[in-house]
Amino acid sequence: MSELFCSRLPLSSSPLPVTMLASSLRAASSLVKNTLSARLLSTGASIPAASVKLIRGHEAQDVDSKDIFEGKKTVLVGIVGAYTGVCQGQIPAFANSIEAFKNKNVDEVVVVTVNDAAVTTAFNKEVDPEGKVSFIADWDASFTKALGTDIDLSAVGFGVRSHRYAAVVENNVVTAFHQEASPGELKVSAAAAVLESL
């Protein structure tokens, strides 16, 4: 995989790699846009039962998805991957806004990324040092595929990843779903936009 796409970019790094990455992701996503639109989560859909690797407070544990979503109000955020520029800029805003989300009766913000637990934990510590946001390390994309939010980004050297989105899940049922037109964009799934929609 090219260094452009997988290098661990510091938050203060030059915007050029982020711009190039966003452009490449838009180009790649256009190849699958039509097939993807029929498979994405939508309002009223249930989160499928699955065993997932949850990282909460920077500690990894194996849990059933129902333990994350049932009887709770959760914001589920799908990102393309750890250490990819757009994603690296997206998550701190959720962590910094956690009290505002709680004021909207959100119990937890959970980010799902197609990375292994070690990479996801390191990324979590970098973009959310206080562990305010939880992560699902979906190393083989099985949970992402079960959600129907997978996207093939092989054209940019990523393989199968997650589309960029934010979903509001209440008692395991999706009550709102915000999907970016391209995984290289950050508009409707940004923390401020999700908060405004609650």
Side-chain angles (χ1 to χ4, degrees):
M1 191 181 298
S2 166
E3 287 186 3
L4 173 63
F5 300 120
C6 68
S7 61
R8 299 189 174 189
L9 301 174
L11 294 176
S12 60
S13 63
S14 166
L16 179 59
V18 176
T19 303
M20 294 174 67
L21 174 60
S23 177
S24 297
L25 289 176
R26 281 193 295 270
S29 66
S30 68
L31 300 175
V32 295
K33 185 175 181 180
N34 292 335
T35 56
L36 188 65
S37 60
R39 299 188 296 114
L40 283 169
L41 278 180
S42 59
T43 302
S46 295
I47 301 297
S51 177
V52 298
K53 183 75 74 175
L54 178 69
I55 297 164
R56 183 179 279 154
H58 300 155
E59 296 293 331
Q61 54 188 304
D62 292 313
V63 302
D64 290 328
S65 58
K66 67 179 182 179
D67 294 330
I68 303 172
F69 301 106
E70 285 189 357
K72 302 174 185 176
K73 184 174 183 179
T74 307
V75 172
L76 179 65
V77 182
I79 65 172
V80 175
Y83 301 108
T84 56
V86 180
C87 305
Q88 189 150 341
Q90 180 181 10
I91 304 308
F94 280 95
N96 294 336
S97 303
I98 201 68
E99 291 303 321
F101 279 103
K102 288 181 178 179
N103 289 338
K104 297 281 189 176
N105 298 316
V106 172
D107 295 293
E108 189 172 25
V109 174
V110 179
V111 179
V112 58
T113 179
V114 181
N115 293 104
D116 64 66
V119 169
T120 303
T121 300
F123 179 65
N124 184 190
K125 289 178 179 179
E126 181 171 328
V127 298
D128 174 26
E130 296 181 26
K132 296 178 179 179
V133 172
S134 299
F135 280 75
I136 292 174
D138 190 20
W139 68 275
D140 62 352
S142 59
F143 185 62
T144 294
K145 290 176 180 178
L147 293 172
T149 54
D150 53 301
I151 180 171
D152 187 353
L153 295 177
S154 297
V156 293
F158 272 21
V160 175
R161 295 295 182 119
S162 172
H163 210 282
R164 190 180 309 283
Y165 65 87
V168 179
V169 183
E170 299 187 51
N171 194 25
N172 208 57
V173 176
V174 177
T175 57
F177 184 72
H178 312 282
Q179 172 212 320
E180 299 293 351
S182 159
E185 295 181 359
L186 179 57
K187 297 176 182 178
V188 297
S189 65
V194 178
L195 270 172
E196 187 176 348
S197 73
L198 290 171

